[in-house]
Amino acid sequence: MKDRIKRIMEEQHMSQQVFADFIGLSPATLSSIFTGRTRPTLNVVEAIKNKLPSISTDWLLMGVGNMYVQSASEEPESISSSSVEQMLDFDAAPNDHPSPVFSQSVKSTPMNNSPSLVKIIDKEPRKVTEIRVYYDDQTYETFVPLKTK
């Protein structure tokens, strides 16, 4: 995804600093994306789409289709539910598909409402055995509680 963001910057003839200011992000955010320290978030995508609505969301997120929306009269693009899982992996190639384990939606996850048993273990209460206070002159004092019968 970082390559697609760089391509948008090049198409708009903007430096990293100017592009960050244009979309309302800090230059450090873009820098960390381009160096690989962090991955782009949906906030970055939203900032780009707010300033450049002609950019295709599918292309920006997954590299699918054309860079630009075909016509300005089209309604905003909707993302198919089958591609939602792919959005989480911003560096995945367009032909990469998530494994079947991760492609299940939350709705298909079985509900487990059976109550579980909690075993309470009685433990002996802990007692303070020593307190040390360290001072900035590299000295310390040790305090030991009085023994009670």
Side-chain angles (χ1 to χ4, degrees):
M1 186 171 168
K2 66 183 176 183
D3 295 330
R4 293 187 289 277
I5 295 173
K6 282 183 183 179
R7 184 168 168 202
I8 293 170
M9 284 175 36
E10 291 168 2
E11 292 276 329
Q12 299 297 317
H13 304 288
M14 294 184 186
S15 67
Q16 185 174 321
Q17 172 77 38
V18 172
F19 186 70
D21 291 340
F22 175 69
I23 63 173
L25 295 176
S26 71
T29 300
L30 278 184
S31 177
S32 65
I33 290 170
F34 294 149
T35 59
R37 284 191 306 266
T38 61
R39 292 183 176 207
T41 64
L42 290 178
N43 290 338
V44 173
V45 173
E46 184 177 32
I48 292 171
K49 283 294 289 180
N50 286 340
K51 291 294 184 171
L52 300 167
S54 61
I55 299 291
S56 166
T57 305
D58 286 343
W59 177 82
L60 182 57
L61 289 172
M62 297 168 285
V64 176
N66 295 325
M67 180 176 178
Y68 294 101
V69 177
Q70 298 301 339
S71 68
S73 63
E74 289 182 8
E75 294 182 17
E77 297 179 41
S78 62
I79 300 171
S80 66
S81 61
S82 63
S83 63
V84 171
E85 291 87 12
Q86 289 179 348
M87 279 193 278
L88 298 176
D89 185 10
F90 293 113
D91 294 328
N95 294 332
D96 288 350
H97 298 288
S99 66
V101 174
F102 297 112
S103 65
Q104 296 176 352
S105 69
V106 174
K107 292 179 183 176
S108 66
T109 304
M111 295 281 290
N112 186 1
N113 290 336
S114 62
S116 58
L117 297 175
V118 177
K119 184 175 182 182
I120 299 174
I121 301 173
D122 290 329
K123 290 186 176 181
E124 186 73 28
R126 298 185 303 173
K127 297 177 184 172
V128 175
T129 59
E130 179 179 280
I131 299 173
R132 286 192 185 173
V133 178
Y134 293 90
Y135 298 99
D136 59 357
D137 64 352
Q138 305 300 318
T139 61
Y140 68 91
E141 288 184 67
T142 302
F143 300 95
V144 180
L146 297 172
K147 303 241 182 201
T148 60
K149 293 183 181 181

